[in-house]
Amino acid sequence: MDLTLFLLFLKIGITCFGGGYGMMSMIFDEGAKRVGLTINEFTDMAALELVCPGPIALNSSTYIGYIKGGVSGSIFATLGLILPTVTVSILTIIFMKKFSESRIVRGLFRGITPACGGLLIYTSITLMLSIFFGTESIHEIHELIFTRETITLLILFVSALILQFRFKIDPIVLTLIGAATGLVFLH
Amino acid sequence: METTAQKSLFLFWTFFKSMMFAFTNGSVALPAIERGVVDKKHWLSHEEFWTYPVLGQTLPGVISIHNAILIGNRIAGPAGAFSALMGVILPAFVCMLGIAALFQAYVDNPYIQGAIRGIRVVSVAIILGNAVRLLQTVPKQAFSIVMVLAAVFVPLLTGFGAFQTIIACGIAGILSILFMPAAPDHPQTSINGDND
């Protein structure tokens, strides 16, 4: 398991462009294929990261490593994640700034940055399907069932979007609002 | 003059305590790190300090780790880079382990369950917000729009996963820069309405 986790996060670390959220889709997809990560485990991770300090990428490798392979799993997952970044950093120091100015790296960013944005939308859609309909893919929606719980979740989701985009409310405040709403209405 | 060991220890502690208060995004820690190494120790100028985060953003990988290694190496060589790197990794690693263990212990508590379900919904909204912020940095060109749409719909509707999609888009980006030299190379220069 340690080796599987190491290789999984090595793969994620290699394709990690443009910040921790850029790799969320990779964890979501590759995690399901390689270590049987479920949608519930993924959304737990996304939720707990909001109350944990440090870069999202490191939080993710630690959490997935821990739930799939204990403390040693979390160490191996984190080592796998940071190895490509550390290598790139060292190459940058050796070759000065040439690396980031090379056409190949600029080309990579040109394709990968928009792709990461698109993948995040794909991940959000899949997570919404899971949270609101309890399905794992877009092909499985048969009927809409509105319970008191899904309506509460929907109101919370829409409010979080409005507070974030319209009023620029800090993610930490949104997290506290989500936790409080859940404590009162969802237990 | 401080020795390399003293500098490294200070670097570790500065990165460590700044990262302890960086929620949701590692770059939130940068002003606190700057206060330590620029305002307090005068090891770097304000301008030089900020060249590293800017450079780090243009490199593939975890940005906070690039910042730690580049700034640490500049101040105290390889030992400094290693100390700063540990200062970034340890808070995230140790706190997440603690939270994961606590969460597993109380996972059956209905109130914890309720709170986590509330935060989960919020986290999806925040992921969507990050997607929008990321896409705002992308130049408004036909090529980028095709990449975005492909990345949304290919994994959603076909059997191809995120990894294949990222690799394919990266290759498309390299090809586009090699074979479309007329297209603006740098994202910042292409925002004002260039079409390719």
Side-chain angles (χ1 to χ4, degrees):
Chain A
M1 198 50 167
D2 287 347
L3 185 66
T4 314
L5 284 163
F6 177 80
L7 293 175
L8 167 68
F9 276 92
L10 188 68
K11 193 171 177 184
I12 292 169
I14 290 170
T15 52
C16 174
F17 274 72
Y21 275 101
M23 58 175 268
M24 285 291 241
S25 314
M26 273 291 292
I27 295 177
F28 182 66
D29 226 57
E30 287 291 319
K33 284 177 195 153
R34 284 166 188 268
V35 294
L37 188 73
T38 66
I39 290 198
N40 274 342
E41 288 168 336
F42 180 85
T43 46
D44 282 344
M45 177 196 86
L48 292 174
E49 277 169 358
L50 293 174
V51 294
C52 185
I56 294 278
L58 288 166
N59 294 154
S60 305
S61 63
T62 309
Y63 187 74
I64 310 262
Y66 179 75
I67 60 167
K68 296 296 180 189
V71 175
S72 73
S74 65
I75 293 171
F76 278 95
T78 304
L79 284 178
L81 174 80
I82 67 170
L83 196 61
T85 304
V86 171
T87 310
V88 169
S89 263
I90 293 172
L91 288 176
T92 307
I93 290 169
I94 296 171
F95 299 109
M96 302 302 285
K97 295 180 179 179
K98 292 262 161 46
F99 195 70
S100 72
E101 282 160 13
S102 91
R103 282 160 71 82
I104 300 288
V105 171
R106 275 208 317 260
L108 269 176
F109 266 97
R110 194 166 197 249
I112 285 180
T113 309
C116 280
L119 282 171
L120 281 181
I121 294 175
Y122 146 72
T123 306
S124 312
I125 293 173
T126 316
L127 293 180
M128 280 188 267
L129 290 177
S130 153
I131 288 174
F132 296 117
F133 304 111
T135 60
E136 302 236 334
S137 107
I138 202 164
H139 308 292
E140 290 171 26
I141 303 174
H142 300 302
E143 52 183 330
L144 305 176
I145 309 159
F146 284 103
T147 60
R148 196 183 73 104
E149 190 192 307
T150 47
I151 293 170
T152 312
L153 290 173
L154 199 61
I155 293 171
L156 179 60
F157 181 69
V158 174
S159 331
L161 283 180
I162 295 171
L163 287 173
Q164 181 181 216
F165 287 114
R166 185 74 188 77
F167 301 102
K168 312 279 174 221
I169 301 290
D170 197 270
I172 298 166
V173 179
L174 292 177
T175 307
L176 292 176
I177 294 172
T181 313
L183 268 180
V184 179
F185 296 108
L186 298 169
H187 63 78
Chain B
M1 260 324 263
E2 285 125 322
T3 63
T4 304
Q6 284 169 325
K7 282 183 176 176
S8 300
L9 199 64
F10 182 85
L11 277 168
F12 171 77
W13 181 236
T14 306
F15 275 84
F16 184 88
K17 65 180 184 201
S18 312
M19 278 292 160
M20 281 305 281
F21 296 98
F23 290 88
T24 69
N25 192 336
S27 63
V28 181
L30 285 169
I33 296 167
E34 188 196 10
R35 223 169 298 136
V37 299
V38 177
D39 299 343
K40 222 163 149 190
K41 294 287 184 181
H42 307 287
W43 285 330
L44 295 174
S45 69
H46 168 82
E47 285 73 22
E48 192 187 351
F49 177 85
W50 285 99
T51 59
Y52 295 107
V54 171
L55 174 62
Q57 275 191 332
T58 67
L59 298 171
V62 184
I63 297 170
S64 298
I65 291 183
H66 286 311
N67 294 344
I69 294 179
L70 296 173
I71 294 170
N73 177 70
R74 163 66 180 76
I75 291 170
F82 183 76
S83 317
L85 176 64
M86 285 299 128
V88 168
I89 293 172
L90 282 181
F93 183 79
V94 173
C95 292
M96 198 70 206
L97 265 191
I99 289 172
L102 265 180
F103 179 65
Q104 292 214 323
Y106 291 100
V107 73
D108 295 326
N109 180 312
Y111 290 95
I112 298 286
Q113 286 245 327
I116 280 296
R117 285 162 85 185
I119 301 177
R120 268 184 192 173
V121 175
V122 168
S123 75
V124 179
I126 291 173
I127 292 176
L128 211 51
N130 279 290
V132 171
R133 270 186 287 279
L134 189 62
L135 290 176
Q136 280 167 348
T137 68
V138 169
K140 313 280 176 290
Q141 301 166 333
F143 177 78
S144 315
I145 294 165
V146 171
M147 293 293 107
V148 175
L149 292 177
V152 177
F153 291 106
V154 168
L156 200 58
L157 302 174
T158 73
F160 291 103
F163 183 71
Q164 289 95 325
T165 309
I166 285 197
I167 297 295
C169 291
I171 292 171
I174 294 174
L175 292 178
S176 85
I177 242 174
L178 294 182
F179 295 107
M180 290 195 284
D185 275 355
H186 204 267
Q188 265 76 40
T189 57
S190 55
I191 289 171
N192 7 325
D194 296 80
N195 288 312
D196 56 343

